[in-house]
mmCIF file of all heavy atoms in Angstrom:
data_model
loop_
_atom_site.group_PDB
_atom_site.id
_atom_site.type_symbol
_atom_site.label_atom_id
_atom_site.label_comp_id
_atom_site.label_asym_id
_atom_site.label_seq_id
_atom_site.Cartn_x
_atom_site.Cartn_y
_atom_site.Cartn_z
ATOM 1 N N PHE A 73 6.988 -4.220 -6.330
ATOM 2 C CA PHE A 73 8.401 -4.706 -6.231
ATOM 3 C C PHE A 73 8.332 -6.231 -6.517
ATOM 4 O O PHE A 73 7.884 -6.962 -5.562
ATOM 5 C CB PHE A 73 9.066 -4.372 -5.000
ATOM 6 C CG PHE A 73 10.566 -4.647 -4.864
ATOM 7 C CD1 PHE A 73 11.419 -4.283 -5.891
ATOM 8 C CD2 PHE A 73 11.102 -5.414 -3.831
ATOM 9 C CE1 PHE A 73 12.683 -4.496 -5.823
ATOM 10 C CE2 PHE A 73 12.437 -5.675 -3.758
ATOM 11 C CZ PHE A 73 13.290 -5.209 -4.760
ATOM 12 N N ALA A 110 8.474 -9.548 -4.270
ATOM 13 C CA ALA A 110 9.739 -9.651 -3.528
ATOM 14 C C ALA A 110 9.493 -9.375 -2.086
ATOM 15 O O ALA A 110 8.599 -8.723 -1.679
ATOM 16 C CB ALA A 110 10.770 -8.689 -4.163
ATOM 17 N N ASP A 111 10.454 -9.882 -1.267
ATOM 18 C CA ASP A 111 10.260 -9.751 0.149
ATOM 19 C C ASP A 111 10.782 -8.446 0.665
ATOM 20 O O ASP A 111 11.445 -7.704 -0.056
ATOM 21 C CB ASP A 111 10.926 -10.928 0.900
ATOM 22 C CG ASP A 111 12.427 -10.967 0.568
ATOM 23 O OD1 ASP A 111 13.149 -10.147 1.034
ATOM 24 O OD2 ASP A 111 12.827 -11.878 -0.132
ATOM 25 N N ALA A 112 10.356 -8.128 1.905
ATOM 26 C CA ALA A 112 10.777 -6.873 2.606
ATOM 27 C C ALA A 112 12.287 -6.684 2.710
ATOM 28 O O ALA A 112 12.757 -5.613 2.573
ATOM 29 C CB ALA A 112 10.057 -6.687 3.946
ATOM 30 N N ASP A 113 12.971 -7.767 2.898
ATOM 31 C CA ASP A 113 14.493 -7.684 3.049
ATOM 32 C C ASP A 113 15.142 -7.147 1.784
ATOM 33 O O ASP A 113 15.985 -6.352 1.845
ATOM 34 C CB ASP A 113 15.041 -9.043 3.509
ATOM 35 C CG ASP A 113 14.681 -9.415 4.948
ATOM 36 O OD1 ASP A 113 14.281 -8.508 5.679
ATOM 37 O OD2 ASP A 113 14.771 -10.651 5.193
ATOM 38 N N HIS A 114 14.702 -7.765 0.689
ATOM 39 C CA HIS A 114 15.283 -7.255 -0.619
ATOM 40 C C HIS A 114 14.798 -5.782 -0.924
ATOM 41 O O HIS A 114 15.566 -5.092 -1.528
ATOM 42 C CB HIS A 114 14.879 -8.194 -1.738
ATOM 43 C CG HIS A 114 15.644 -9.437 -1.807
ATOM 44 N ND1 HIS A 114 15.157 -10.682 -1.310
ATOM 45 C CD2 HIS A 114 16.942 -9.708 -2.112
ATOM 46 C CE1 HIS A 114 16.059 -11.643 -1.428
ATOM 47 N NE2 HIS A 114 17.114 -11.069 -1.869
ATOM 48 N N MET A 115 13.613 -5.486 -0.575
ATOM 49 C CA MET A 115 13.100 -4.168 -0.767
ATOM 50 C C MET A 115 13.981 -3.134 0.026
ATOM 51 O O MET A 115 14.437 -2.062 -0.584
ATOM 52 C CB MET A 115 11.706 -4.108 -0.195
ATOM 53 C CG MET A 115 10.880 -2.839 -0.537
ATOM 54 S SD MET A 115 9.199 -2.865 0.123
ATOM 55 C CE MET A 115 8.447 -4.290 -0.748
ATOM 56 N N GLU A 116 14.360 -3.440 1.164
ATOM 57 C CA GLU A 116 15.167 -2.579 2.024
ATOM 58 C C GLU A 116 16.574 -2.559 1.441
ATOM 59 O O GLU A 116 17.236 -1.556 1.344
ATOM 60 C CB GLU A 116 15.211 -3.057 3.465
ATOM 61 C CG GLU A 116 16.063 -2.331 4.399
ATOM 62 C CD GLU A 116 15.467 -0.930 4.796
ATOM 63 O OE1 GLU A 116 14.273 -0.767 4.910
ATOM 64 O OE2 GLU A 116 16.370 0.006 4.949
ATOM 65 N N GLN A 117 17.092 -3.742 1.141
ATOM 66 C CA GLN A 117 18.413 -3.860 0.591
ATOM 67 C C GLN A 117 18.661 -3.111 -0.649
ATOM 68 O O GLN A 117 19.634 -2.402 -0.837
ATOM 69 C CB GLN A 117 18.766 -5.362 0.343
ATOM 70 C CG GLN A 117 20.185 -5.564 -0.277
ATOM 71 C CD GLN A 117 20.404 -7.057 -0.567
ATOM 72 O OE1 GLN A 117 19.593 -7.974 -0.280
ATOM 73 N NE2 GLN A 117 21.575 -7.372 -1.142
ATOM 74 N N TYR A 118 17.729 -3.183 -1.705
ATOM 75 C CA TYR A 118 17.944 -2.581 -2.981
ATOM 76 C C TYR A 118 17.378 -1.144 -3.105
ATOM 77 O O TYR A 118 17.918 -0.337 -3.689
ATOM 78 C CB TYR A 118 17.352 -3.462 -4.053
ATOM 79 C CG TYR A 118 18.136 -4.781 -4.222
ATOM 80 C CD1 TYR A 118 17.445 -5.964 -4.412
ATOM 81 C CD2 TYR A 118 19.582 -4.848 -4.117
ATOM 82 C CE1 TYR A 118 18.143 -7.146 -4.457
ATOM 83 C CE2 TYR A 118 20.243 -6.044 -4.150
ATOM 84 C CZ TYR A 118 19.519 -7.189 -4.354
ATOM 85 O OH TYR A 118 20.142 -8.414 -4.550
ATOM 86 N N VAL A 121 13.709 1.047 1.208
ATOM 87 C CA VAL A 121 12.391 1.407 1.689
ATOM 88 C C VAL A 121 11.694 0.144 2.400
ATOM 89 O O VAL A 121 12.211 -0.900 2.240
ATOM 90 C CB VAL A 121 11.422 1.847 0.546
ATOM 91 C CG1 VAL A 121 11.966 3.113 -0.109
ATOM 92 C CG2 VAL A 121 11.226 0.757 -0.482
ATOM 93 N N PRO A 123 7.828 -1.942 3.112
ATOM 94 C CA PRO A 123 6.547 -2.146 2.446
ATOM 95 C C PRO A 123 5.663 -0.963 2.584
ATOM 96 O O PRO A 123 5.549 -0.484 3.735
ATOM 97 C CB PRO A 123 6.097 -3.429 3.065
ATOM 98 C CG PRO A 123 7.255 -4.197 3.479
ATOM 99 C CD PRO A 123 8.225 -3.083 3.966
#
Side-chain angles (χ1 to χ4, degrees):
F73 187 53
D111 58 70
D113 290 341
H114 284 103
M115 189 181 296
E116 179 73 35
Q117 178 183 355
Y118 295 137
V121 299

